[in-house]
Amino acid sequence: MTAFVVEPAFPVRLTGTAFERGLAQAAAGVAHETVFAATIGRVEQARAEGVLDAAALEFLHRQRAFLLESDPHTMAELAGIAEGFDLPEDELFIHQHLSLLRDLSKGAGLDADGCSTFAIGEGPEGPLVVKNRDFSGIHVGIQRVFLHEGPDIETGRMLCVGSAGSPGAYSSGINAAGLALVDTHIGSRRHGIGWLRYFAMTRILATCRSVPEAIAFLRARRHAGGGSVTLADRYGHVASVEFGTDLLGVEEGRRVWRTNHFVSPELSPFNFTDDGDRIDANSFDRFAYLSREVPVGDWTVPRAARLMATHAADGPHCGPLCQHGEKDAARTISSAIFACNMLQLYFLEGNPCEGRWRVYDLTG
């Protein structure tokens, strides 16, 4: 890995109502055809694979009605994105549900989606939340760091790592109260009508100021299921939450970590397996590596950056946190480190073993 070099950077600023913030995404400097390929193109592929059958369409109809009532702000942001990029809103809505729909179709056309995360509640630089984002290579180039300000954001403002064409905290974020969160994809055998993980993450950043508040928010709602979030706040609270539908797997402590399988006793029976392992093949290796490394020593931003740049070939017992895929295969497309006390995001697009870090200041 190269030296830890950081340069200041500025986010794409989105202000106004949720709809207006969605509309403003079109001015973020991403070619419309690139957004089309990463969103509508993936929906068209799923349709060709038979994922969008009658049962899936009925599920989407009920899910849309639920979210319009339960989360009108994120739905309004999605509508603004559709108008700004001149894309069909219904297709963008389907895109938000693709990983869930593939689970319902017994893993058809396995999505190239991973991620490794951890959070610590104490250290020389205070609480940190860290994520390697592993996703299809087609999302390289459409990632953006967005600064959201608007009347629905009760916490004042939020800094989100997302992708053009998707609303809110599509990957991770931090708010002005010092609450940060990141997610991982986890295939599940149990889904239902309820909150999408990305939508819940956005509302948490908009309304919650601490990890206990975020957990209470999640416990009070029904979820579509699948995936996890890892959280920390400036008070040192740390947690990981795994998503079922009517139940959650919650782990609280000083240090937590997650990859791409359920580990809680509540959710582990619902890991997606069907004629082989549905879970990303190296999820257990990455989890084992984090289990050895995260509990040991003091964590700083540079040390976290070095850890997330690790490859399996770097030495005995190393885990493949930094992944190099080909074409549309899963690869590490970015790395994010949130410093809760400093209200900063350290962000690197591409593989963390070879890129340059940028720092975004939520207060600036």
Side-chain angles (χ1 to χ4, degrees):
M1 178 184 173
T2 58
F4 183 68
V5 177
V6 180
E7 60 185 31
F10 299 93
V12 176
R13 190 172 181 180
L14 305 176
T15 62
T17 66
F19 177 85
E20 290 168 339
R21 298 198 305 273
L23 193 66
Q25 265 200 32
V30 183
H32 289 209
E33 58 268 24
T34 305
V35 176
F36 180 96
T39 56
I40 310 305
R42 295 178 71 224
V43 173
E44 292 176 345
Q45 178 184 354
R47 184 174 283 114
E49 294 167 354
V51 173
L52 302 180
D53 57 16
L57 295 177
E58 172 61 21
F59 174 87
L60 288 166
H61 176 75
R62 295 172 57 205
Q63 180 73 352
R64 185 179 182 86
F66 172 86
L67 288 171
L68 283 169
E69 180 178 354
S70 302
D71 189 14
H73 294 299
T74 310
M75 290 295 286
E77 187 179 351
L78 191 70
I81 292 169
E83 182 171 322
F85 285 106
D86 192 24
L87 299 173
E89 183 183 345
D90 288 348
E91 298 288 282
L92 283 183
F93 183 78
I94 295 172
H95 173 254
Q96 296 295 303
H97 290 78
L98 276 184
S99 62
L100 183 155
L101 292 172
R102 292 190 184 282
D103 284 351
L104 292 174
S105 298
K106 302 186 184 300
L110 177 63
D111 241 0
D113 195 355
C115 299
S116 303
T117 70
F118 75 93
I120 58 103
E122 77 292 312
E125 297 168 325
L128 302 177
V129 184
V130 184
K131 172 177 178 175
N132 270 7
R133 188 184 189 188
D134 303 336
F135 204 33
S136 168
I138 61 174
H139 274 250
V140 174
I142 71 167
Q143 294 181 101
R144 290 293 185 273
V145 176
F146 295 108
L147 174 64
H148 289 258
E149 296 176 292
D152 60 300
I153 304 174
E154 300 170 19
T155 53
R157 50 172 44 181
M158 55 188 188
L159 198 62
C160 297
V161 178
S163 295
S166 294
Y170 192 54
S171 172
S172 56
I174 186 171
N175 65 22
L179 172 65
L181 51 71
V182 298
D183 81 318
T184 74
H185 168 78
I186 300 175
S188 175
R189 294 191 294 107
R190 186 177 184 182
H191 292 289
I193 302 302
W195 280 71
L196 272 183
R197 181 174 75 256
Y198 320 117
F199 288 23
M201 290 166 63
T202 302
R203 284 302 99 204
I204 285 171
L205 291 176
T207 62
C208 298
R209 292 170 171 79
S210 69
V211 169
E213 283 186 30
I215 293 174
F217 176 100
L218 294 173
R219 288 194 188 280
R221 286 158 176 81
R222 184 174 179 84
H223 301 278
S228 75
V229 293
T230 299
L231 314 91
D233 60 34
R234 68 194 318 168
Y235 310 108
H237 301 123
V238 170
S240 179
V241 181
E242 297 175 351
F243 289 88
T245 51
D246 54 352
L247 61 98
L248 302 171
V250 180
E251 177 187 351
E252 297 181 78
R254 304 304 295 175
R255 303 183 182 195
V256 298
W257 51 93
R258 285 296 182 273
T259 54
N260 304 114
H261 60 280
F262 293 129
V263 300
S264 67
E266 297 89 349
L267 274 298
S268 57
F270 301 107
N271 278 317
F272 195 113
T273 54
D274 183 44
D275 296 329
D277 194 356
R278 166 65 172 83
I279 303 165
D280 182 25
N282 59 25
S283 178
F284 292 98
D285 292 339
R286 287 181 282 122
F287 187 84
Y289 183 58
L290 292 174
S291 299
R292 291 191 296 269
E293 296 295 320
V294 174
V296 181
D298 290 332
W299 285 96
T300 62
V301 172
R303 184 184 175 194
R306 289 194 296 270
L307 178 72
M308 303 315 276
T310 305
H311 311 91
D314 288 343
H317 311 298
C318 286
L321 300 185
C322 182
Q323 302 195 70
H324 296 255
E326 298 294 334
K327 297 181 180 179
D328 290 348
R331 55 178 287 193
T332 302
I333 63 171
S334 65
S335 191
I337 305 171
F338 294 92
C340 298
N341 284 357
M342 296 181 287
L343 299 181
Q344 289 178 331
L345 160 65
Y346 293 81
F347 181 73
L348 180 151
E349 185 167 18
N351 286 97
C353 65
E354 59 189 24
R356 174 168 293 186
W357 289 85
R358 294 177 171 84
V359 61
Y360 297 83
D361 193 328
L362 185 56
T363 64

